[in-house]
Every structure is written in structure tokens, then in C-alpha cells.
Amino acid sequence: MEKKVILVTGGSGLIGKAIQTVIESEKELRDEKWIFLSSRDGDLCDFDSTKAIFEKHKPTHVIHLAAMVGGLFHNMSHNLDFFRKNMHMNDNILQISHELGVKKVVSCLSTCIFPDKTTYPIDETMVHNGPPHSSNFGYSYAKRMIDVENRAYHQQHGNLFTSVIPCNVFGPHDNFNLESSHVIPGLIRKLFDIIQAGGDTFTVLGSGKPLRQFIYSLDLAKLFIWVLREYNEVDPIILSVDEEAEVSIKDLAMELVQAFDFKGKIVYDTTKADGQYKKTASNQKLRRYLPDFEFTPFSKAIKDTVEWYKENHENARN
Ligand code: NAP
Ligand code: GDP
């Protein structure tokens, strides 16, 4: 069999690092060469530098993770940047993959791009069924266009370009910057700083009531690798924990307090936005393929991430 050359865009990010960790821990030898890119290898918003990267590495397969990514508050203030940067990157990757004969591209959507007004649970057939939540419409529409392009490349040229739809991801190597982070790394950073400063009040933004499904990056990495090797539909597949594993932001705050052994009080700043109340997604399609896949228990994944941050905070993305 021909050797696979797998190019991972966004290889230095949360999910890219997790895929690298899983690949490096695999015992079975496979005829695969993995290349993990960061933005230092070139700006994927630029067509010519993207093409130069592809011509250098000659990938047969691509996992496309690179994106402008951020939490609720960063999205609310930068909808235009989220739309344009992601549109450019995604279009460049797919067109160049087509031009250079890449056999398969797996791109990344998100459960936060689904329609705001919807029925639950959300499934893969509902991506385009109505406007996304107003807080992140730039990111959402750019991501939805990946699915549009995947279908169009398939229809017009027969390409196998597909996508996965993860729920909210967390783990080592996340972005812990308070301005732009998602809720888990944001609250880990905040609690770490409060404890360092000897503070006794942990302020969580919003009401604490919204519900979220969270997936540990190392679990998602295993699923991504399975999709690359085994999943051959153009239609997207949701990669999420089970519906029963959904937790409130309040539950999350309590888990973090336990993981840090914080003895102070939790306060909810209800002047700050809650975002979408819930985005409960069904992983039934995934379960049909992988009925026995075991997700890391939430408490353990949170504890491991907190430990990672304590050990690596000086070099983490802060
Ligand atoms: P991340 O940690 O923020 O990493 C983003 C990656 O993209 C980094 O490797 C970054 O490179 C690269 N990148 C950004 N702009 C670039 C550019 N102009 N040119 C080249 N590379 C660029 O993101 P992540 O959380 O791993 O997310 C990966 C994918 O999963 C994204 O497509 C995201 O939309 C999707 N996703 C994420 C979540 C989540 O909760 N995090 C949930 C659902 C879906 P540098 O490190 O060099 O900056
Ligand atoms: P989302 O899941 O796409 O909405 O994005 P986030 O990961 O940013 O989660 C947002 C939810 O967490 C909202 O309900 C916020 O009100 C809540 N939240 C509480 N504290 C924080 C925080 O410090 N940062 C962020 N990003 N969200 C927070």
C-alpha cells in the first residue's frame, strides 16, 4: 500500500497537539508520515504560501484544524475577523488539496455553528436549518461553508472532503488567555491566578445555567484519527460525548473548585453574557460506528488538565 503523508494544519493548537500525542503513543507501526504545522510554517489565509507548504510536503491526506478560534466573548467582538480569516483558510486548503490531488481532507466544524432556534438533540442533518446564534455568526457561517464546499467538490470533481463536528473541547495546550479563551481554559487560568494571589472569590461569567457537552482533547484526537483512517462519507459526523454527559457551567465551576481544592466562594457575574443556552448534540451516528468507544470521565479529564496547567503554566498560551 502507498505510504500516507498526513498534513495536520493547526498542528500546534489544542486538538493538533492531542493528535500528535496519540500518534506518538501508538504501538502499531503504520505506513504513515505525520506532519504537524503551526502558523510559523506560513499563513494559511494566503493562497500562495499555503500552496508552497503543500508543494513542499506533498500530502496524500489532510486534517484541517487551523482556524481563528475563540470563546464566546472573543467571538462577540470579532465576528468579521472570524468570518474572513476562516473563509480564506478553508477555501485555500480545499482548493489546493483539489489541485494537488490530495485523496482525503477532514476539516473541523463545531456544535456551536448549529441553528440557534432548533429542536434537540441536534444532529448532522441540521447544520444549515436556520441562522446560528447571533454571538458567533461570523465563525458559524464560515464553518458552515466548509460543508457546502465539501459537497460541491464531491459533486463536481468526486473529491472525498469531509468534516467532523466536535462539541466544546478542552485539555493540555489549550489557549488560556482570559480575553479569547473558551470557558474551561479561561476558568482554569482565573482560578490558578486567584489562588496564587491568595484571593477567596472565584467569579464565573454569566448565570452558570447554560448547558454544554465537553470533550477531552485526547479522546477527540483518537476519534479524529479514526475518521481519517476509516470514515468515508462526505456528510459530517458529530464527535461528542453522550447527551447524558452534558453539564451546566455551574457543575463545571464546582469540578474546577474540587480539582484545585479551592476553599473560597463562587460568584456568578450575571451582567456578562450566557451565550446560547444549550446546543445538545446527538452522537448516535458516531455510536453506530463505534458503539464501545469510552470517553475519559469528566472529573478525571478536568483534573488532568488542571495538573497540566499547574505544571506548564509558564509556557502555556496565556
Ligand atoms: P487552537 O488551539 O486555537 O489552535 C489553532 C491552530 O490554528 C494553531 O495551530 C494556530 O497556529 C493555527 N492557525 C491559526 N491561524 C492560522 C493561520 N492564519 N495560518 C496558519 N495557521 C493558523 O484551536 P483548537 O481549539 O485546536 O481548534 C482546532 C479546530 O477545531 C478549529 O478548526 C476549531 O474551529 C475547531 N473546534 C474547536 C473547538 C474547541 O472547543 N476548541 C470546538 C469545536 C471545533 P499557531 O499555534 O502557530 O498560532
Ligand atoms: P461556547 O460554548 O461556544 O458558548 O463558548 P465558551 O467555551 O466560551 O463557553 C461560554 C459559556 O461559559 C457561556 O455560558 C459563558 O457565560 C460561560 N462562562 C463563564 N465564565 C466564562 C469565562 O471566563 N470565559 C468564557 N469564555 N466563558 C465563560
Side-chain angles (χ1 to χ4, degrees):
M1 216 173 56
E2 195 196 340
K3 185 174 181 136
K4 278 185 191 157
V5 178
I6 302 150
L7 189 69
V8 182
T9 73
S12 53
L14 166 66
I15 302 175
K17 283 281 188 192
I19 293 178
Q20 190 168 11
T21 302
V22 173
I23 287 297
E24 285 170 0
S25 71
E26 281 190 344
K27 304 269 183 299
E28 193 182 337
L29 279 182
R30 292 174 185 263
D31 221 1
E32 291 176 350
K33 178 182 176 193
W34 287 76
I35 298 153
F36 293 88
L37 297 178
S38 81
S39 61
R40 285 195 301 277
D41 293 291
D43 180 3
L44 301 176
C45 293
D46 181 81
F47 187 86
D48 293 335
S49 42
T50 307
K51 195 158 184 182
I53 294 172
F54 273 63
E55 283 169 342
K56 176 176 168 197
H57 295 293
K58 301 188 174 38
T60 59
H61 293 68
V62 171
I63 292 184
H64 173 40
L65 302 174
M68 182 172 175
V69 182
L72 169 66
F73 299 98
H74 195 43
N75 270 277
M76 285 169 68
S77 55
H78 291 83
N79 268 298
L80 178 65
D81 294 346
F82 275 94
F83 181 76
R84 295 193 67 230
K85 286 195 177 167
N86 289 325
M87 283 295 291
H88 285 137
M89 265 188 261
N90 301 337
D91 185 58
N92 288 342
I93 294 294
L94 294 180
Q95 176 59 17
I96 291 164
S97 294
H98 168 63
E99 287 178 15
L100 299 185
V102 172
K103 293 201 171 81
K104 183 169 176 182
V105 180
V106 181
S107 299
C108 201
L109 314 185
S110 164
T111 55
C112 62
I113 69 158
F114 278 111
D116 179 29
K117 306 246 175 322
T118 183
T119 53
Y120 296 99
I122 301 168
D123 70 34
E124 291 84 353
T125 65
M126 297 156 78
V127 172
H128 304 284
N129 287 1
H133 192 265
S134 58
S135 58
N136 66 351
F137 67 93
Y139 176 83
S140 299
Y141 278 117
K143 286 286 184 189
R144 288 183 186 191
M145 289 310 116
I146 292 180
D147 180 60
V148 171
E149 288 202 32
N150 284 348
R151 290 171 197 283
Y153 275 107
H154 183 71
Q155 189 192 66
Q156 213 168 314
H157 300 295
N159 298 100
L160 178 49
F161 295 169
T162 188
S163 61
V164 301
I165 312 181
C167 55
N168 199 316
V169 191
F170 69 100
H173 304 282
D174 208 339
N175 168 19
F176 292 86
N177 178 296
L178 286 177
E179 303 288 306
S180 59
S181 60
H182 283 102
V183 57
I184 293 184
L187 292 182
I188 288 179
R189 164 79 190 278
K190 203 183 274 183
L191 204 39
F192 181 85
D193 288 354
I194 292 167
I195 292 167
Q196 295 280 88
D200 66 355
T201 307
F202 174 33
T203 305
V204 176
L205 307 183
S207 68
K209 290 181 186 155
L211 301 173
R212 293 290 182 270
Q213 285 157 299
F214 292 108
I215 186 168
Y216 190 39
S217 59
L218 291 149
D219 293 342
L220 177 62
K222 291 179 193 158
L223 295 172
F224 242 111
I225 294 164
W226 166 78
V227 168
L228 181 90
R229 290 176 180 154
E230 310 288 345
Y231 178 80
N232 289 322
E233 295 183 34
V234 171
D235 286 341
I237 180 164
I238 289 174
L239 302 182
S240 169
V241 296
D242 303 323
E243 285 162 61
E244 304 72 52
E246 188 170 56
V247 293
S248 67
I249 299 298
K250 199 170 188 174
D251 297 331
L252 165 64
M254 316 268 262
E255 286 288 351
L256 290 172
V257 161
Q258 272 201 347
F260 274 101
D261 196 24
F262 175 68
K263 302 290 184 213
K265 59 179 183 296
I266 308 178
V267 168
Y268 292 91
D269 179 355
T270 52
T271 64
K272 297 292 189 303
D274 269 346
Q276 199 166 352
Y277 171 59
K278 64 177 186 174
K279 346 178 165 200
T280 322
S282 161
N283 67 2
Q284 252 186 36
K285 183 174 185 178
L286 174 66
R287 285 295 185 201
R288 280 200 295 278
Y289 279 102
L290 298 179
D292 301 325
F293 185 84
E294 282 184 27
F295 292 95
T296 308
F298 188 52
S299 302
K300 175 168 171 26
I302 286 287
K303 279 203 180 71
D304 289 354
T305 308
V306 166
E307 287 311 314
W308 183 89
Y309 187 70
K310 282 185 185 168
E311 279 165 28
N312 296 280
H313 65 96
E314 278 172 6
N315 300 318
R317 283 190 287 161
N318 283 315

